[in-house]
Amino acid sequence: MKAEKQSGWVERSLRSVWHPCTQMQHHASANDAVPLIPVSHGRGAWLYDHEGRRYLDAISSWWVNLFGHANPRINAELKDQLDRLEHAMLAGFTHEPVVELSEKLSALTNGVLGHSFYASDGASAVEIALKMSFHAWRNSGKSEKQEFVCLKGSYHGETIGALAVTDVALFKDAYGPLLRASQTVMSPDFRQAVEGESAQDVARRAAFEVEQLFQQKADKIAAIIIEPLVQCATGMAMHDPLYLSLVRALCDRYQVHLILDEIAVGCGRTGTFFACEQAGIWPDFVCLSKGISGGYLPLSLVMTREDIYQAFYSTDVRRGFLHSHSYTGNPLACRAALATLSIFEEDDVLVANRERAAKITRALAPLAQHEKVKHFRQQGMIWAFDAIDAAPDFSRRFFSTALEHELLMRPIGSTVYLMPPYILDDADIAGLGQQTLAVFNHVIGA
């Protein structure tokens, strides 16, 4: 009966659901099909299917789940909120969860970023930041500042504005005619180091390219957008914090806004709550989503500075920021985020993660030393390595094989990465290391 139920959900899903970031034929193909797993329930770091098989969620369900599935503390907060208020429009109304969340987040920036504007998903947050930057310059009498700068290999979302500052051909090329052109500068990815170069040298070289562009076009540029410390979707490209401090100084000198996309890398993922803290800087806009709600509910937001907020503050409604979403500041999502922040504080998560990360790195040591691996790297609770001589279908075969080894892992091209929730115990960590090695050996040797 369980097997029948399992296959029934697969068949129904293939008939009715168009799955994201997927070539649907790969699920339906008779030969070498990619599995589609119907999830029955989740507990802690594990997902379970209808036949009772379990899968360690080693990528936090696309980087969102911080403290495990069905976390009892977040559950309790949401159950309480359900009996109070499920939703109210945020235009002309406000409520406790959104006010308290905004206050707590501002406090985490020492008040530098004191205004939060809410949406539902990461791409929407990027759209908001881009529009705010453009509009703030226009309201300040600099309407010629309309262009945006992004990094090579950058990814900031799938909506039209966010895709315009994305530089991943697989996602972008099909929609080129719809997109506004942007300037693209060198990524500070330290894998580009030439002989004798350090990660900081690569950062300086990349920042110099930004400076050259700003010298030529700063009067036309509204903002540069960066995913700080780790460019995730391009293959976990990591860079030295020096790059952020150098670009911050350039933005100040040339009057260009700095947008930091911390959608994937914020909320403690890189070792500090905000990745930019490691560079000792704050941006003009920071985008948050994914982990901010603990992986429970869609929530995103943009935090910005007082001077940008004041650029919109006027008796003239046309100078206001009139962007809106129906579920902006949803109380349930905000309450989940407040519960997430409470866990960070009560459990001293950032400190605990340092010890947990060291254990995971030790468990992955055989992969770091593997003859078929290059560029093994780690930043906070993110690990990645590149497979040498990987076949074109490496990612799909790795995903399928990992499921057979009780792992949910989804490589990006030939880059294998791990972004597990912050709750793995010693047994989970040992199993993660052993099974990842077993999967890699099977796939790379097949």
Side-chain angles (χ1 to χ4, degrees):
M1 287 294 292
K2 288 182 178 179
E4 185 176 330
K5 186 174 185 180
Q6 182 94 341
S7 62
W9 283 117
V10 171
E11 292 167 2
R12 289 169 64 182
S13 190
L14 290 176
R15 285 198 302 268
S16 61
V17 180
W18 198 336
H19 293 266
C21 201
T22 298
Q23 172 48 265
M24 291 299 295
Q25 191 197 46
H26 291 164
H27 283 316
S29 173
N31 299 317
D32 197 29
V34 175
L36 181 63
I37 307 298
V39 177
S40 167
H41 62 283
R43 289 288 183 275
W46 297 86
L47 293 169
Y48 296 81
D49 67 18
H50 290 274
E51 294 183 348
R53 288 186 294 259
R54 65 178 191 166
Y55 309 93
L56 181 65
D57 192 351
I59 59 172
S60 298
S61 288
W62 259 349
W63 323 339
V64 302
N65 188 283
L66 300 190
F67 300 118
H69 300 281
N71 182 285
R73 291 150 78 179
I74 302 177
N75 286 359
E77 294 295 314
L78 283 175
K79 288 172 183 175
D80 178 75
Q81 185 61 42
L82 276 170
D83 289 331
R84 296 171 182 267
L85 177 66
E86 83 298 337
H87 185 65
M89 61 187 291
L90 206 61
F93 290 84
T94 194
H95 50 77
E96 285 182 42
V98 76
V99 172
E100 291 183 359
L101 179 58
S102 302
E103 291 173 342
K104 287 181 180 293
L105 288 171
S106 180
L108 289 174
T109 73
N110 300 315
V112 175
L113 302 173
H115 301 277
S116 292
F117 195 102
Y118 290 84
S120 299
D121 58 83
S124 296
V126 169
E127 297 277 343
I128 288 165
L130 297 173
K131 288 176 66 177
M132 275 187 179
S133 174
F134 167 86
H135 200 165
W137 286 124
R138 190 181 76 170
N139 283 353
S140 302
K142 297 183 178 180
S143 57
E144 70 280 4
K145 292 174 77 67
Q146 300 181 8
E147 297 183 19
F148 295 99
V149 182
C150 64
L151 306 187
K152 289 181 180 177
S154 59
Y155 175 89
H156 298 289
E158 305 286 354
T159 51
I160 295 300
L163 205 54
V165 289
T166 286
D167 185 50
V168 180
L170 180 65
F171 301 123
K172 184 174 183 177
D173 283 359
Y175 309 103
L178 302 177
L179 305 178
R180 183 184 179 92
S182 60
Q183 301 286 333
T184 306
V185 292
M186 172 185 170
S187 165
D189 178 3
F190 65 61
R191 291 175 296 177
Q192 301 173 106
V194 298
E195 187 175 354
E197 260 193 330
S198 67
Q200 287 200 340
D201 291 331
V202 177
R204 291 187 185 94
R205 186 153 53 92
F208 180 67
E209 189 168 307
V210 175
E211 182 173 17
Q212 288 181 307
L213 177 63
F214 283 5
Q215 285 174 346
Q216 299 168 11
K217 299 198 67 176
D219 60 332
K220 304 291 185 184
I221 295 171
I224 181 171
I225 182 167
I226 298 169
E227 198 172 11
L229 300 188
V230 187
Q231 291 177 258
C232 293
T234 195
M236 301 299 160
M238 300 183 184
H239 62 258
D240 193 276
L242 175 64
Y243 179 75
L244 301 175
S245 59
L246 292 174
V247 173
R248 172 73 272 179
L250 290 171
C251 287
D252 291 339
R253 187 188 315 164
Y254 290 96
Q255 290 191 291
V256 173
H257 289 148
L258 175 59
I259 302 171
L260 292 187
D261 173 354
E262 296 224 6
I263 290 160
V265 299
C267 302
R269 184 54 73 178
T270 65
T272 47
F273 189 83
F274 294 99
C276 62
E277 292 178 73
Q278 296 180 47
I281 61 106
W282 294 110
D284 300 295
F285 304 89
V286 66
C287 303
L288 287 178
S289 189
K290 291 190 182 291
I292 190 61
S293 72
Y296 266 69
L297 289 164
L299 180 68
S300 67
L301 60 110
V302 176
M303 303 175 69
T304 192
R305 294 173 178 261
E306 178 67 22
D307 61 328
I308 291 171
Y309 178 78
Q310 288 297 328
F312 294 87
Y313 202 79
S314 171
T315 57
D316 185 350
V317 69
R318 293 169 299 179
R319 292 176 62 88
F321 190 64
L322 304 183
H323 188 103
S324 62
H325 295 270
S326 299
Y327 283 93
T328 290
N330 174 259
L332 287 167
C334 290
R335 189 71 181 272
L338 286 168
T340 298
L341 294 183
S342 293
I343 294 174
F344 268 101
E345 184 177 357
E346 293 165 9
D347 293 3
D348 207 358
V349 168
L350 296 177
V351 171
N353 272 357
R354 288 199 284 271
E355 182 179 352
R356 184 174 287 111
K359 290 179 179 179
I360 295 173
T361 299
R362 288 195 292 271
L364 295 173
L367 281 159
Q369 299 154 12
H370 201 289
E371 63 179 3
K372 288 290 188 178
V373 164
K374 63 180 178 180
H375 301 307
F376 182 91
R377 52 203 183 273
Q378 179 239 340
Q379 177 67 57
M381 288 290 288
I382 305 174
W383 292 262
F385 58 87
D386 303 325
I388 297 172
D389 299 326
D393 63 347
F394 172 83
S395 176
R396 278 194 286 147
R397 288 195 296 114
F398 194 104
F399 170 72
S400 300
T401 306
L403 293 174
E404 296 170 4
H405 287 73
E406 296 190 333
L407 287 180
L408 169 53
M409 296 181 69
R410 189 180 167 105
I412 301 169
S414 60
T415 296
V416 178
Y417 74 90
L418 300 89
M419 292 178 69
Y422 306 160
I423 59 166
L424 299 190
D425 59 24
D426 289 351
D428 292 334
I429 290 169
L432 178 61
Q434 293 162 6
Q435 296 304 320
T436 303
L437 177 62
V439 173
F440 182 74
N441 281 335
H442 178 84
V443 176
I444 204 69

